Amino acid sequence: MKLVRHGQAGQERPGIIDAQGQIRDLGDHCKDFDPAFFAGDGLRQLKTIDLQSLPLVGADTRLGPCVARPGTFLAIGLNYVQHAIETNAPIPTDPIIFSKAPSCVSGPNDPVLLPKGSTKTDWEVELAFVVGKRAHYVEESEALDYIAGYFICNDVSEREFQLERSGQWQKGKMFPTFGPIGPWLVTSDEIADVQNLGLWLELNGKRIQNSSTSDMIFSIAKILSDTSQYVALEPGDIITTGTPPGVGLGMKPEAYLKPGDVMRLGVEGLGVQEQRVVRWGEQ
């Protein structure tokens, strides 16, 4: 299944993509794709619905974040070999885990806001997933069974805040709109091999990230298993799993986002996002 949330910000309704690629409204069958939905085995219940009986949604309707109000939003740093090399960072021996604020989540095509004083805001196309059931001390061999589905995340990052100001990476990772997710939440049964998906990002029409999840240092199963050693992951929590090479930080000279720039990004089988960059206060 391909699940979406549609409508104005803060008023989104759950929806599903039918066989013809049209959005169908699910509001009469579930409240939202939130932690309670995943904890209540909501995905299984949706499989019994006749999609043709559902009302159609206009094709021009805004798409919101494909997961509502995650309790926890975690991320993995330096998880692609070539990305670590381009940023002159050592290859990690264990997954690097950091947090993004749930309040940074935005829709897949919503504007990305530049913070006040920002000069080094960067892009990062990533594969992300949502946890389907409580995961604590999970074995790697069983880890994929805990994942409800996958989606695209743009892990937008302000590099000065992240790397040049005292503290942890979170300072550059949590600003509002720094976590566009969607357009679709694709259930795990539709992804044959999560470690062999192409992913890419274009900036102003030029493709600058172009890789595959096969270049990951730590697999999706390893990420969930390792993270579950340190935190009890709950249904509806989301984890984004690292970016391939081609970020602004790794360019020579470095290059960063400016107002009016357009990012377009995709992951194989998970759709496409597009965001225009806007300065804070001008949205």
Side-chain angles (χ1 to χ4, degrees), residues 20-37:
Q20 291 73 43
Q22 303 171 109
I23 302 173
R24 300 273 181 168
D25 182 74
L26 281 170
D28 291 337
H29 295 269
C30 68
K31 293 179 65 176
D32 210 342
F33 303 137
D34 57 9
F37 169 82

Side-chain angles (χ1 to χ4, degrees), residues 12-233:
E12 294 93 345
R13 292 172 59 89
I16 189 168
I17 306 295
D18 66 18
Q20 291 73 43
Q22 303 171 109
I23 302 173
R24 300 273 181 168
D25 182 74
L26 281 170
D28 291 337
H29 295 269
C30 68
K31 293 179 65 176
D32 210 342
F33 303 137
D34 57 9
F37 169 82
F38 294 103
D41 201 18
L43 287 179
R44 182 183 61 80
Q45 297 173 32
L46 293 184
K47 293 180 180 179
T48 65
I49 298 172
D50 174 16
L51 299 191
Q52 298 305 309
S53 70
L54 301 174
L56 284 167
V57 175
D60 59 347
T61 300
R62 170 187 174 270
L63 295 182
C66 58
V67 177
R69 299 180 296 279
T72 298
F73 186 179
L74 299 177
I76 307 300
L78 297 174
N79 192 36
Y80 282 72
V81 174
Q82 295 304 316
H83 174 54
I85 291 172
E86 76 170 343
T87 56
N88 297 312
I91 304 295
T93 56
D94 292 285
I96 297 172
I97 303 171
F98 62 92
S99 296
K100 289 178 73 76
S103 60
C104 82
V105 170
S106 59
N109 303 312
D110 292 344
V112 164
L113 304 180
L114 293 179
K116 292 181 179 179
S118 169
T119 59
K120 296 185 178 181
T121 297
D122 206 347
W123 52 86
E124 294 190 5
V125 59
E126 304 198 1
L127 170 69
F129 64 81
V130 60
V131 177
K133 56 185 178 181
R134 193 172 193 269
H136 194 208
Y137 289 124
V138 174
E139 295 293 331
E140 187 174 343
S141 60
E142 302 175 349
L144 295 184
D145 294 337
Y146 288 77
I147 296 175
Y150 300 92
F151 49 91
I152 304 166
C153 176
N154 188 352
D155 178 18
V156 183
S157 309
E158 213 299 342
R159 302 302 189 188
E160 180 193 351
F161 299 179
Q162 176 189 356
L163 302 172
E164 300 175 35
R165 300 190 181 185
S166 300
Q168 299 178 328
W169 285 4
Q170 283 92 321
K171 283 185 177 180
K173 297 285 189 173
M174 300 190 296
F175 195 75
T177 74
F178 273 25
I181 61 172
W184 312 324
L185 165 61
V186 180
T187 52
S188 297
D189 58 302
E190 292 204 7
I191 306 298
D193 183 0
V194 73
Q195 296 305 150
N196 190 30
L197 300 177
L199 69 170
W200 53 270
L201 182 144
E202 296 171 353
L203 180 63
N204 299 325
K206 180 180 179 181
R207 185 158 297 197
I208 52 178
Q209 289 190 278
N210 195 22
S211 187
S212 166
T213 57
S214 62
D215 189 48
M216 282 184 173
I217 298 168
F218 305 107
S219 69
I220 300 298
K222 173 65 176 178
I223 288 168
L224 186 141
S225 174
D226 184 80
T227 304
S228 77
Q229 310 307 303
Y230 311 111
V231 60
L233 297 166

